Amino acid sequence: MKVIEMNHVKKSFGNKEVLKDISFAVEEGEVVSIIGPSGSGKSTLLRCATFLERMDGGTITYMNEEVVREHLGRSVYPTQKQLRQVCNCFGLVFQNFNLFPHYSVLKNIMDAPMSIQKRNEKEVYEEVKELLLKVGLSDKENAYPCELSGGQQQRVAIARALAMKPKMLYFDEPTSALDPELTAEILKIMKELAAENMTMVIVTHEIDFAKAVSDRVIFMDEGVIVEEGSPRDVIDHPRNLRTQEFLKKLNY
């Protein structure tokens, strides 16, 4: 089953066309990495997929249900209430963590399942303890974000996303704010999630990581999908000249 399908996505900021008629879909259990130069539209595509930006044109379907339809060439969105329900399908991990600074680690993770999903506090607490164990932060439940390293904060952010029991996770350059040692911590957790068949879409500059965990790699440039296929096809044997030039600059 396709968890998400986006068709003919268009998005402009003023006169600048950032996404130009992009279509893509992600199957359940699939790991898709999106690579490309800065300004190619990667993060904007993720922000459109998660309703943080409104598309100008195109459709979005989650779990075979059309959420954003198109009418007379323009995207038509449902009510905020309907959008909030769809948002339960996915979790989003940002590059800058976006934790609540005045909440403890525990409260950062427990807040959304309890306030949005109205789940039982005791049940959520038990699940969060398991998640903290999973991300290697069992001893940090009472700490505050300012007391944690960047890598630890990002692990809390991943646990927070997982606490909502999403069908898929989006990662928007999750390691770009971290040094190499902390980057390795995050990539290890993401590899474990991939091994558990978590559906993931990852915008990343970590080409080795994309090659290791992805079922499919998408190369974007100037608002279009230039090339997509297996890591072997796109990273090891790119056919498009633009893809070749991009990877060559990164010594691939």
Side-chain angles (χ1 to χ4, degrees), residues 8 15 22 27 33 35 49 55 60-61 85 91 93 108 115 124 129 151 164 171 186 193 195 213-215 230 236 241:
H8 306 298
N15 294 324
I22 281 185
E27 297 282 344
S33 289
I35 63 172
M55 305 182 301
I60 301 178
T61 300
Q85 288 174 332
V93 179
N108 259 290
S115 61
V124 172
K129 278 173 55 174
M164 297 291 281
F171 292 87
I186 302 307
L193 290 171
V213 303
S214 306
D215 298 298
S230 70
D236 292 338
L241 182 61

Side-chain angles (χ1 to χ4, degrees), residues 42-53:
K42 308 183 300 295
S43 292
T44 301
L45 182 62
L46 238 62
R47 290 178 67 82
C48 287
T50 55
F51 313 120
L52 293 172
E53 295 284 358

Side-chain angles (χ1 to χ4, degrees), residues 104-137:
S104 67
V105 165
L106 190 66
K107 190 164 169 43
N108 259 290
I109 302 172
M110 288 184 67
D111 185 58
M114 287 173 57
S115 61
I116 297 171
Q117 296 179 333
K118 309 296 183 192
R119 286 164 52 202
N120 175 273
E121 182 177 357
K122 187 172 184 298
E123 175 192 309
V124 172
Y125 177 63
E126 292 303 319
E127 288 175 8
V128 169
K129 278 173 55 174
E130 288 290 317
L131 285 171
L132 285 171
L133 185 65
K134 186 187 188 82
V135 299
L137 292 173

Side-chain angles (χ1 to χ4, degrees), residues 48-115:
C48 287
T50 55
F51 313 120
L52 293 172
E53 295 284 358
R54 291 201 161 216
M55 305 182 301
D56 300 321
T59 63
I60 301 178
T61 300
Y62 271 101
M63 309 300 290
N64 293 335
E65 186 178 330
E66 191 173 64
V67 181
V68 180
R69 59 189 181 85
E70 192 170 63
H71 180 65
L72 301 177
R74 303 291 293 177
S75 296
V76 180
Y77 281 74
T79 65
Q80 282 299 320
K81 185 180 178 185
Q82 288 169 305
L83 274 185
R84 278 196 296 272
Q85 288 174 332
V86 179
C87 286
N88 284 327
C89 279
F90 58 79
L92 176 58
V93 179
F94 301 88
Q95 54 184 301
N96 295 320
F97 327 133
N98 284 24
L99 301 177
F100 295 114
H102 55 294
Y103 284 1
S104 67
V105 165
L106 190 66
K107 190 164 169 43
N108 259 290
I109 302 172
M110 288 184 67
D111 185 58
M114 287 173 57
S115 61

Side-chain angles (χ1 to χ4, degrees), residues 154-184:
Q154 192 61 293
R155 283 186 274 160
V156 174
I158 293 171
R160 181 178 61 180
L162 290 169
M164 297 291 281
K165 299 187 174 178
K167 295 284 186 191
M168 69 180 296
L169 286 178
Y170 292 100
F171 292 87
D172 187 7
E173 299 190 10
T175 60
S176 65
L178 304 176
D179 66 33
E181 190 177 343
L182 299 179
T183 291

